[in-house]
């Protein structure tokens, strides 16, 4: 079958209103970023025609890190409250989510173990091993990521796969740290819904020497792409407000986290230090006793 032909414009060849990234290649060979932009534009047309339900433009407050005062009670084993929903008129973050290192413990096949090849990795509750088992201990947390596509006026990035992973309360990473190499907790994938949103159930991560408390995540074009780490279109980290970490680390099970945190700041952290984590600092509600709910808007420019 013949490849679709681009249209000449004053800015260069284009297809369905989008400039061709590589004019020397056919339209069908432009790559994942161009394909995603094409898919999202078609979905918006379908929505206008009433064939597919339209989705509101995602938004969320700029990072505030506000919390409800913590209690001294032990962490509840129940699921933390749902993350606060974004409102349509709330301001978007000032820029694209920063590209960060996946670190030495990604579990995506790029550095040894590969959780993304395992059956059951697509799940919302990360507290047990992939496939089930006993949950890890820690202060209850739900965290929600809302993805928008900057190349499409910040429309929700739907159908993308988000892989999230983190350390436990003691600062250990499953599949890597000595003694838990055979475990796979605190790793999992969700696919963004019509609002570009995924929500995971987890625990507040511990703080190990040299790093501010954080959660890693990678964004893939779709679920089928997760078995190849090279197809990720964004890799970044979510940061926690100091008040949340302080309250969580006062609970049992967090070892030296409080002492490690006292020696750090967002400005001195090797990852968040460039801008104090301004675009990665989650908005958090809840308490150490009842559990926390964190949310972060993740803006991605799919043209890059």
């Amino acid at each position: 079958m013949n490849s679709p032909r681009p249209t000449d414009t004053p800015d260069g060849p284009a297809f369905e209103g989008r400039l061709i990234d590589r004019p020397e290649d056919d339209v069908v060979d432009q790559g994942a970023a161009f394909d995603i932009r094409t898919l999202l534009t078609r979905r918006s047309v379908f929505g206008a025609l009433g064939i597919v339900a339209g989705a509101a433009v995602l938004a969320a407050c700029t990072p505030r890190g506000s919390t409800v005062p913590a209690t001294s009670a032990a962490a509840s084993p129940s699921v933390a409250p749902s993350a606060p929903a974004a409102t349509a008129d709330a301001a978007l973050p000032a820029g694209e989510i920063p590209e960060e290192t996946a670190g030495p413990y990604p579990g995506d096949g790029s550095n040894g173990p590969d959780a993304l090849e395992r059956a059951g990795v697509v799940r919302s509750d990360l507290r047990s091993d992939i496939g089930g088992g006993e949950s890890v201990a820690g202060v209850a947390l739900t965290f929600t990521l809302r993805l928008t596509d900057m190349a499409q006026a910040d429309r929700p990035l739907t159908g993308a796969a988000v892989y999230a992973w983190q350390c436990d309360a003691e600062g250990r990473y499953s599949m890597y740290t000595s003694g838990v190499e055979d475990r796979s907790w605190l790793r999992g994938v969700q696919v963004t819904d019509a609002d570009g949103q995924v929500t995971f159930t987890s625990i507040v991560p511990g703080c190990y020497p040299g790093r501010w408390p954080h959660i890693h995540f990678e964004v893939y074009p779709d679920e089928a792409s997760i078995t190849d780490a090279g197809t990720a279109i964004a890799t970044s980290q979510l940061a926690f407000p100091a008040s949340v970490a302080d309250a969580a680390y006062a609970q049992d099970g967090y070892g030296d986290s409080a002492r490690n945190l006292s020696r750090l700041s967002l400005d001195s952290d090797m990852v968040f230090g460039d801008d104090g984590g301004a675009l990665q600092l989650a908005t958090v509600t809840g308490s150490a006793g009842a559990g926390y709910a964190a949310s972060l808007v993740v803006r991605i420019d799919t043209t890059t």
Side-chain angles (χ1 to χ4, degrees), residues 60-67 83-84 93 97 141-146 204-205 212-215 217 237-245 266 272 276-285 292-298:
C61 297
T62 52
R64 291 179 289 122
S66 59
T67 67
I97 192 76
L141 169 74
T142 63
F143 64 95
T144 296
L145 303 176
R146 295 181 175 89
V204 175
W212 189 262
H214 61 281
I215 293 176
F217 62 91
Q237 299 178 23
L238 174 153
F240 288 87
S243 58
V244 171
L266 279 165
F272 303 125
L279 299 176
Q280 296 157 283
L281 186 64
T283 296
V284 185
T285 59
Y292 288 107
S295 65
L296 180 70
V297 174
V298 177

Side-chain angles (χ1 to χ4, degrees), residues 45-167:
V45 171
F46 291 156
L49 294 174
I51 297 174
V52 176
V57 175
L58 272 187
C61 297
T62 52
R64 291 179 289 122
S66 59
T67 67
V68 175
T71 68
S72 60
S76 168
S78 61
V79 176
S82 297
T87 57
D89 58 349
L92 286 165
E96 184 175 14
I97 192 76
E99 186 75 9
E100 306 289 13
T101 177
Y105 315 119
D108 61 4
S110 64
N111 185 26
D114 192 349
L116 300 180
E117 293 278 4
R118 298 193 179 190
V121 70
V122 179
R123 59 188 186 147
S124 60
D125 192 335
L126 308 182
R127 295 174 296 179
S128 65
D129 288 336
I130 297 171
E134 183 179 358
S135 294
V136 294
V139 173
L141 169 74
T142 63
F143 64 95
T144 296
L145 303 176
R146 295 181 175 89
L147 279 56
T148 74
D149 184 359
M150 297 173 68
Q152 293 293 321
D154 282 296
R155 292 191 180 102
L157 185 55
T158 63
V162 180
Y163 168 45
W165 71 98
Q166 64 176 87
C167 70

Side-chain angles (χ1 to χ4, degrees), residues 173-268:
Y173 282 90
S174 67
M175 308 180 79
Y176 289 90
T177 303
S178 177
V180 295
E181 300 98 329
D182 60 342
R183 307 300 299 274
S184 56
W185 31 251
L186 301 179
R187 299 180 183 275
V189 173
Q190 282 281 284
V191 177
T192 57
D193 61 16
D195 295 322
Q197 177 175 295
V198 293
T199 297
F200 295 94
T201 300
S202 188
I203 62 166
V204 175
C207 179
Y208 49 87
R211 279 307 320 276
W212 189 262
H214 61 281
I215 293 176
H216 294 266
F217 62 91
E218 291 175 337
V219 179
Y220 292 82
D222 50 42
E223 184 181 340
S225 303
I226 65 174
T227 55
D228 181 357
T231 64
I233 60 175
T235 301
S236 198
Q237 299 178 23
L238 174 153
F240 288 87
S243 58
V244 171
D246 284 337
Y249 298 161
Q251 311 305 310
D252 292 338
Y254 278 90
D256 293 331
S257 289
R259 183 173 62 180
N260 294 333
L261 183 70
S262 70
R263 300 171 177 174
L264 296 168
S265 71
L266 279 165
D267 290 329
S268 67

Side-chain angles (χ1 to χ4, degrees), residues 1-5 26 28:
M1 182 172 60
N2 293 331
S3 173
R5 298 183 62 82
D26 290 340
V28 296

